Amino acid sequence: MSKFSLRNMAGAMWAATSLANAVCGSAVELAARLSPDAKVYGPNDSNFASVTARWSTYSAPGFAFSVEVATEQDVAETVKFANENNTPYLAVNNGHGAIITVGKMQEGIQIHMRGLNSVKIADDGKTADFGGGILAKEVIDGLWAKNKQTVTGNCHCVSLAGPGLGGGHGMLQGRHGLISDNFVSLKLVTADGTITKVDKDHELWWAMQGAGHNFGIVTSITSKIYDTNRPLWAYASFIFTGDKVEELYTNINEKLLKDGNQEVDIINYSYFTMDPTVDPVNPVIMFFILQENAVLVDEKFTAPFTALGPATSAAGAGDYRDLSVWTGNAENQTFCQKLGFAAMRYPVELQVYNVPAMRETYDTFTAGLQSTPALGFSVVLFEGYSTQGVHAVPAPSTAYPFRESNLLVSPVMLFQEDTPELAETANALGTQLREIIHKASGEPNLRVYVNYALGNEGPEAWYGAEQWRQDKLKTLKSKYDPEGKFSFFAPIA
Ligand SMILES: Cc1cc2nc3c(=O)[nH]c(=O)nc-3n(C[C@H](O)[C@H](O)[C@H](O)COP(=O)(O)OP(=O)(O)OC[C@H]3O[C@@H](n4cnc5c(N)ncnc54)[C@H](O)[C@@H]3O)c2cc1C
């Protein structure tokens, strides 16, 4: 009882309805079952808004209270408690998941995992144990201090488990594969509240590497780690005006992507964005080439782009930790923040840029922003990581379905006044942009990276259209989560 704050008890006064009273009573009861460092925050607690804040306000989940777990047993106990009380629950690290399916969770329990953020490197230096609520920045810094690294997402504020359970793209994937390809074992709280170790011998292993959000709550991850024997990175960045779309993406295809043969130490990354200092009326194209083990990006890569006549260009060098900073994803930079924006993403996997479609995408995006200035913060993101480590893993061996793809493209509609009309306009534009890109790709099936999904695409788009993949996932789901306790994030069924 002591762990549920007095402020929350006072909050029960606010709880004029019987529902709210019941919720407050439940929170007190749950708090009594948790470890001494766990906390339960209710809506009237001053911390509640910050612990439940989301990166995107659109179709956000709603929580009756938030459990700040301190041990894996707290997670198990909360799951059991919620099951006993027929209350839904959702694991949350930093609330950067922006799929609209999580909005179906209302009046549930947030199981806030941030207390589980430890890093423990094994004596042999080949693996490390990470807490299930750890963020990318904590992984990077914790390992770097010991001259180690592993695959993480590029955004400091995104967790390891969130991306990893859906695959997990990152700057080191060309060397070491996806985040999930580096998993050695996971501790998992399953739907009945038991704690299970899942490793390569467990039936769920395949599913946890690509569709893992559907099967439980990960309390810790044992992952491969690597010596930082190529610590240096360099960047070359360019801003191009819209008239350069064709030449830019032709160059990226021919000089960098090379039909899926981009060098392992090269990453290309671009986005359409408004930058009034360069063009006050039309979006510009921000373009990066990142090179590992270099202090200056090799001129053979930069020269074709310099020759196009960028509006501005810059270059610099640092180490792996600087990649997030250069691309605007560091903890104090814009992409990381919870600024009260609604975000709607429309991802599609590609092999190569279709240049006429890139022109159509740019023109459609431009017209969309000009007719609806409230969408002016939106971007269209084009991520071209190196892929050797991802391609090296046999495709059928994990639930991650799109190993063959080379590019991750994502129109991201961003807006602040979250009104139904604006959301409808944003959805129309985002859908149109994705259709242009997908149609031009010639791919019969829409391939959607589950961690970027809008949420209306469906299991075949998220987990692969092959019947055997769908059947296997459904069989596992009905065995391990028959009541759909973990069906708020991109549900299999
Ligand atoms: C700014 C930004 C940058 C991004 N950069 C990258 C990137 O570089 N690479 C990449 O691959 N993706 C990236 N993403 C996408 C990212 O993978 C997803 O948004 C992901 O859902 C975020 O996970 P989270 O834990 O941070 O968010 P949360 O909202 O806390 O969690 C997302 C979902 O994961 C599940 N979940 C969370 N914790 C656990 C757990 N411990 N056990 C089981 N299930 C759990 C829940 O269903 C939850 O709804 C980025 C997203 C944003 C917004």
Side-chain angles (χ1 to χ4, degrees):
M1 183 141 166
S2 59
K3 283 173 248 101
F4 191 58
S5 69
L6 282 177
R7 195 186 307 238
N8 260 322
M9 292 302 290
M13 301 300 185
W14 139 88
T17 66
S18 58
L19 172 66
N21 272 324
V23 162
C24 183
S26 297
V28 173
E29 203 187 316
L30 171 58
R33 289 167 62 165
L34 302 178
S35 70
D37 290 332
K39 297 201 168 36
V40 181
Y41 294 130
N44 279 18
D45 197 291
S46 59
N47 290 329
F48 188 74
S50 67
V51 298
T52 56
R54 309 285 304 177
W55 180 75
S56 168
T57 58
Y58 187 71
S59 191
F63 298 108
F65 51 90
S66 176
V67 180
E68 311 298 305
V69 298
T71 65
E72 69 176 9
Q73 200 55 46
D74 289 338
V75 178
E77 205 53 48
T78 306
V79 165
K80 283 184 198 152
F81 173 88
N83 289 342
E84 287 159 19
N85 289 279
N86 208 15
T87 305
Y89 44 89
L90 184 70
V92 174
N93 299 313
N94 205 17
H96 275 55
I99 187 167
I100 62 175
T101 53
V102 293
K104 289 194 179 139
M105 145 72 74
Q106 297 297 328
E107 290 296 331
I109 300 174
Q110 168 169 279
I111 303 182
H112 200 208
M113 302 293 291
R114 288 290 295 122
L116 306 183
N117 63 355
S118 56
V119 178
K120 188 165 175 286
I121 297 176
D123 290 343
D124 67 4
K126 292 188 172 151
T127 63
D129 296 337
F130 301 103
I134 198 166
L135 301 188
K137 170 102 167 87
E138 294 164 336
V139 174
I140 293 168
D141 289 350
L143 293 182
W144 199 266
K146 307 282 183 195
N147 300 318
K148 299 284 181 186
Q149 59 185 7
T150 193
V151 186
T152 63
N154 183 37
C155 178
H156 278 169
C157 309
V158 164
S159 71
L160 188 66
L165 294 175
H169 291 287
M171 300 291 186
L172 295 176
Q173 69 170 49
R175 298 269 174 211
H176 308 302
L178 301 167
I179 294 175
S180 58
D181 294 333
N182 290 281
F183 290 169
V184 174
S185 66
L186 307 168
K187 292 287 277 306
L188 188 70
V189 175
T190 50
D192 59 1
T194 55
I195 302 171
T196 308
K197 183 177 171 188
V198 178
D199 62 13
K200 64 178 176 33
D201 298 322
H202 195 287
E203 194 182 16
L204 274 181
W205 185 238
W206 177 86
M208 293 310 292
Q209 296 173 291
H213 310 91
N214 272 275
F215 294 99
I217 301 179
V218 172
T219 54
S220 69
I221 298 172
T222 302
S223 234
K224 293 179 204 159
I225 59 171
Y226 306 91
D227 293 334
T228 51
N229 48 16
R230 297 182 202 89
L232 301 182
W233 283 78
Y235 77 89
S237 68
F238 306 83
I239 299 181
F240 290 101
T241 47
D243 55 310
K244 298 290 197 313
V245 164
E246 285 86 350
E247 292 164 289
L248 172 60
Y249 287 94
T250 300
N251 262 1
I252 296 177
N253 278 342
E254 291 175 2
K255 313 292 183 196
L256 300 178
L257 272 180
K258 297 184 286 195
D259 286 330
N261 292 306
Q262 181 165 291
E263 270 82 345
V264 69
D265 55 355
I266 288 288
I267 288 162
N268 78 82
Y269 184 88
S270 61
Y271 52 95
F272 299 165
T273 183
M274 288 304 296
D275 182 346
T277 63
V278 178
D279 185 333
V281 182
N282 305 296
V284 299
I285 306 135
M286 183 81 219
F287 171 58
F288 289 91
I289 306 175
L290 305 165
Q291 187 170 16
E292 188 191 38
N293 209 24
V295 288
L296 192 64
V297 177
D298 197 321
E299 204 191 340
K300 79 174 177 190
F301 298 120
T302 56
F305 297 95
T306 307
L308 298 184
T312 71
S313 63
D319 62 41
Y320 175 71
R321 295 168 301 170
D322 295 310
L323 292 169
S324 306
V325 181
W326 298 334
T327 54
N329 282 287
E331 60 184 341
N332 53 358
Q333 291 176 303
T334 316
F335 289 150
C336 244
Q337 309 308 314
K338 295 167 182 169
L339 299 171
F341 277 87
M344 299 167 81
R345 297 177 292 191
Y346 298 82
V348 52
E349 304 272 336
L350 287 186
Q351 303 311 114
V352 65
Y353 291 115
N354 178 304
V355 172
M358 292 304 285
R359 163 57 56 197
E360 195 182 345
T361 303
Y362 176 85
D363 289 346
T364 305
F365 183 59
T366 304
L369 299 201
Q370 287 172 352
S371 63
T372 311
L375 296 179
F377 294 104
S378 302
V379 297
V380 187
L381 190 57
F382 305 96
E383 294 173 89
Y385 298 106
S386 51
T387 51
Q388 288 80 349
V390 183
H391 293 171
V393 176
S397 68
T398 72
Y400 176 77
F402 306 128
R403 288 193 183 274
E404 74 289 358
S405 92
N406 298 323
L407 292 164
L408 180 53
V409 174
S410 194
V412 185
M413 301 294 109
L414 288 164
F415 49 100
Q416 252 172 335
E417 312 111 54
D418 187 352
T419 62
E421 296 74 27
L422 191 50
E424 232 171 79
T425 307
N427 184 44
L429 179 58
T431 303
Q432 188 184 3
L433 292 169
R434 172 154 67 184
E435 275 172 11
I436 293 167
I437 299 163
H438 175 228
K439 194 167 160 219
S441 74
E443 292 287 334
N445 302 309
L446 182 62
R447 299 177 301 167
V448 169
Y449 178 40
V450 68
N451 287 324
Y452 283 12
L454 179 68
N456 64 354
E457 301 92 346
E460 293 190 358
W462 303 324
Y463 301 119
E466 299 99 316
Q467 196 56 49
W468 71 267
R469 285 188 181 274
Q470 293 295 322
D471 292 346
K472 189 164 178 170
L473 284 173
K474 280 188 190 132
T475 303
L476 289 168
K477 183 77 174 171
S478 62
K479 178 167 174 187
Y480 286 92
D481 185 22
E483 292 175 36
K485 302 284 183 191
F486 301 107
S487 290
F488 291 105
F489 189 99
I492 288 162

